[in-house]
Amino acid sequence: MLSALARAVVPVLGRLTVTSGAGGVAPGSIVAANHTALVDPGLVLAALRRAGVEPVVLAAAGLWRVPVLGGCLTREGHVPVRRGSARAAESLGLAARALAAGRVVMLYPEGGLPSRRDAGDRAPEAFRSGLARLALATGAPVVPLGHAGARRIVSGSGIKQLAGVCTAPLRRPALHVHLGEPVTPRGDVAAATAELRAAVHRAWRHAVEQLASDGGRRG
């Protein structure tokens, strides 16, 4: 349901383009995406739906408390992340089970949104260790996903974000998602985290450059 909803809504909010250097996302892969704005899960899910992928998503546990949404997340097998609690490690175990079953797992290794309020695209911030620990424990390949343009829809204060969503169908901002080449990290958690962050940074940079190129051609 979430993937279908994203595919329907995102084209209303902006002009989404998708490129890939990965040759598709294989079953049992992890998709690691940069995180910039509240709407970017929609961009990521819409892009993956175009690639024929409907992932298991690791998301903040608070979303499960939202009426209707929480039930949908549970039914579709998505995984709540309870950071800072005694149950924090459960999410990686559930993700590993999904990978073993051939599902694609999608997560945000930065672990949260940036605190800044400008509308610009910036490089991914520091990664938490969960992505590396999951990849090393399961041997699953990691597909780095970089996207740009989400903050053209929502950024700034709460009022500005609401205004951004309301005006986006008129403004039709350009949005781009790039799927990079899969990476299978080796070594310890610190080295794997650095390697994976570099891979997501390359995918993000490609998305930013593609967005600039598309803007130039339309201008």
Side-chain angles (χ1 to χ4, degrees):
M1 185 203 76
L2 292 182
S3 295
L5 183 63
R7 186 177 185 181
V9 171
V10 169
V12 175
L13 298 177
R15 294 173 282 115
L16 175 64
T17 54
V18 182
T19 53
S20 175
V25 181
S29 297
I30 304 168
V31 174
N34 63 305
H35 203 10
T36 65
L38 287 171
V39 299
D40 64 43
L43 273 65
V44 172
L45 290 175
L48 291 175
R49 182 72 182 266
R50 288 189 187 183
V53 176
E54 295 186 0
V56 170
V57 180
L58 272 69
L63 295 174
W64 271 253
R65 295 194 292 271
V66 178
V68 181
L69 176 60
C72 292
L73 292 171
T74 298
R75 284 194 300 274
E76 296 183 9
H78 300 295
V79 178
V81 179
R82 299 177 174 86
R83 293 191 180 90
S85 75
R87 301 177 63 188
E90 287 183 7
S91 59
L92 294 185
L94 293 171
R97 290 184 197 174
L99 291 169
R103 297 293 303 274
V104 172
V105 169
M106 195 280 286
L107 56 80
Y108 289 105
E110 292 165 88
L113 290 167
S115 58
R116 60 191 177 85
R117 293 194 168 192
D118 63 280
D121 286 296
R122 295 189 190 177
E125 297 184 350
F127 279 15
R128 296 175 182 266
S129 64
L131 170 61
R133 288 188 284 125
L134 180 62
L136 291 171
T138 61
V142 178
V143 178
L145 184 151
H147 63 81
R151 294 184 70 84
R152 298 180 180 184
I153 299 176
V154 291
S155 59
S157 66
I159 293 175
K160 287 187 66 177
Q161 293 193 48
L162 179 60
V165 171
C166 291
T167 61
L170 299 176
R171 295 183 289 113
R172 302 282 294 155
L175 315 164
H176 191 82
V177 173
H178 179 72
L179 290 162
E181 295 287 346
V183 176
T184 303
R186 297 287 186 266
D188 60 19
V189 171
T193 297
E195 180 182 6
L196 293 170
R197 185 184 180 196
V200 174
H201 184 279
R202 288 193 297 271
W204 167 80
R205 173 54 62 187
H206 186 103
V208 170
E209 292 172 353
Q210 187 66 46
L211 203 61
S213 175
D214 290 346
R217 286 197 294 269
R218 289 189 178 95

